[in-house]
Amino acid sequence: MESDRVETETEALLAANEAFYRAFEKRDMEAMEAVCSQGIGCLCAHPGRLPLQGWQAIGESWRAIFRNTDYLEIDTEIISVEVNGDLGYVVAIEHVMQVAKRQRGKARSLATNIFERMGPNWYLIHHHGSPLL
């Protein structure tokens, strides 16, 4: 049935999105590399920062975040999910609790994560986080 296929595709996309946030939360660069596309056209806009393009710059930004963070907890509220062929997106509110340099901070961001299916797997090709006040 068509609805079963769509549901399975949506579940696979949401699983990739969850893998991204678990890699982020665990500060696990190997897991981050497994879920993110390594392409030169990838984009990442961390909250309050200019966008980065290409995996080399994006990967270094994640390494810097991981080096400078002692602890992270990330919960997400999924707002919207869409699959259209080999592209899919997830829009979510991120609730982040971070400990860095013995300082605890909480933040909320509106995030858009765009994934591309390559073979059987979904890979993050675009992450954009905008701070919510």
Side-chain angles (χ1 to χ4, degrees), residues 3-121:
S3 65
D4 290 341
R5 187 179 64 77
V6 170
E7 187 174 311
T8 302
E9 289 178 346
T10 300
E11 288 171 357
L13 178 62
L14 285 170
N17 191 67
E18 181 68 16
F20 164 69
Y21 282 108
R22 294 301 64 91
F24 185 1
E25 184 176 64
K26 302 291 185 207
R27 298 171 292 136
D28 183 339
M29 199 60 205
E30 190 174 309
M32 187 66 78
E33 289 171 345
V35 75
C36 291
S37 172
Q38 308 292 305
I40 60 172
C42 299
L43 289 169
C44 180
H46 296 295
R49 298 187 188 165
L50 293 174
L52 301 166
Q53 186 168 5
W55 176 247
Q56 186 173 357
I58 294 166
E60 185 49 46
S61 75
W62 287 118
R63 283 191 270 295
I65 289 168
F66 295 169
R67 273 193 309 271
N68 294 308
T69 302
D70 300 315
Y71 181 79
L72 277 168
E73 285 182 17
I74 304 168
D75 292 313
T76 57
E77 281 178 61
I78 304 298
I79 304 298
S80 181
V81 180
E82 182 69 33
V83 174
N84 189 348
D86 288 332
L87 290 176
Y89 68 81
V90 179
V91 177
I93 296 176
E94 302 171 335
H95 300 271
V96 180
M97 194 283 289
Q98 179 180 27
V99 177
K101 298 179 184 175
R102 299 184 186 193
Q103 299 284 326
R104 182 175 181 231
K106 287 187 175 186
R108 288 184 329 138
S109 298
L110 179 63
T112 301
N113 297 322
I114 302 174
F115 293 83
E116 182 177 12
R117 183 178 23 226
M118 293 178 240
N121 300 318

